[in-house]
Amino acid sequence: LADEAGIGFAEGANAEFITGNGVGKARGITAYTNVANPSYSSGSVGYIASGKAGAFASVAPSDKLINLQHALKAQYRPGAVFLMNDTVLGIARQMKDSSGSYYLWQPDTTAGFGGRFLGSPVYVDDNMPAAAANAYSVAYGNFRRGYTIVERAGTSLIRDNITAKGTTKFNFRRRFGGGIVNFEAIKLMKFATS
């Protein structure tokens, strides 16, 4: 029962850390004001355009991912990771070098299934938006330095065997929140031409 509650809390929290609006929940990385990276200022998240609406650019799509890496200041790149959903990772895994000989994605037994892309670990979270027009489907950042999660210690449990005769309900409750604390440490890719 405790394992199932833990899984439920983890799934709910992950969704909030990506898309939560901050009202009674954590504020997700895609829920802030996003601006083109050259216009970036504190309080907003900078983005790089993919070069095509709803997809990676048709020509040299990996160049835009390199631009995304370099949009992040050099001091945040050590420890930085890519974050995307499984479908977007499937597209990125098919990208090859300019000669078409080598895949840019490399498996990494220490980084889990996501592996490495352009030297950085890739984490899969299906709460990240799918590839669609104007979607922020890829994040790159040093999340340890850019995003803070706060959690009140403990999980409360209320056992209810009165509401429905012959049935016992267990209501679990956990309090947590989160938000970006360093806007320089996280960048997004917008699936658009600009």
Side-chain angles (χ1 to χ4, degrees):
L1 188 59
D3 286 345
E4 288 299 318
I7 291 168
F9 282 128
E11 290 173 350
N14 285 349
E16 287 185 28
F17 299 148
I18 302 297
T19 60
N21 62 11
V23 179
K25 59 181 77 173
R27 189 160 182 195
I29 60 171
T30 61
Y32 288 85
T33 301
N34 303 316
V35 297
N37 202 55
S39 303
Y40 155 79
S41 63
S42 186
S44 59
V45 179
Y47 72 81
I48 299 295
S50 69
K52 186 175 181 181
F56 287 104
S58 300
V59 178
S62 60
D63 289 358
K64 298 297 185 177
L65 289 166
I66 292 170
N67 291 344
L68 180 62
Q69 283 184 309
H70 287 276
L72 198 64
K73 288 187 175 181
Q75 68 259 31
Y76 300 113
R77 286 186 217 141
V81 300
F82 284 102
L83 180 65
M84 59 189 80
N85 74 28
D86 196 50
T87 304
V88 174
L89 175 59
I91 296 166
R93 285 182 64 185
Q94 297 174 44
M95 292 181 186
K96 294 184 177 182
D97 65 4
S98 59
S99 68
S101 303
Y102 299 102
Y103 287 104
L104 299 175
W105 177 87
Q106 296 296 315
D108 182 356
T109 56
T110 64
F113 176 78
R116 290 186 171 270
F117 193 81
L118 300 170
S120 295
V122 179
Y123 287 93
V124 176
D125 189 327
D126 284 328
N127 294 298
M128 284 295 288
N134 298 315
Y136 297 95
S137 303
V138 178
Y140 182 73
N142 189 322
F143 295 98
R144 288 182 191 260
R145 295 183 64 188
Y147 194 90
T148 296
I149 298 171
V150 292
E151 182 175 7
R152 186 170 185 166
T155 301
S156 63
L157 166 66
I158 299 172
R159 183 175 180 264
D160 177 7
N161 61 347
I162 297 172
T163 305
K165 188 174 181 172
T167 303
T168 301
K169 293 182 183 178
F170 295 94
N171 297 306
F172 290 89
R173 183 177 144 185
R174 176 180 267 167
R175 293 177 62 188
F176 63 89
I180 296 177
V181 293
N182 185 345
F183 290 88
E184 292 182 333
I186 299 172
K187 300 296 176 186
L188 298 171
M189 175 169 279
K190 181 179 182 182
F191 276 43
T193 56
S194 62

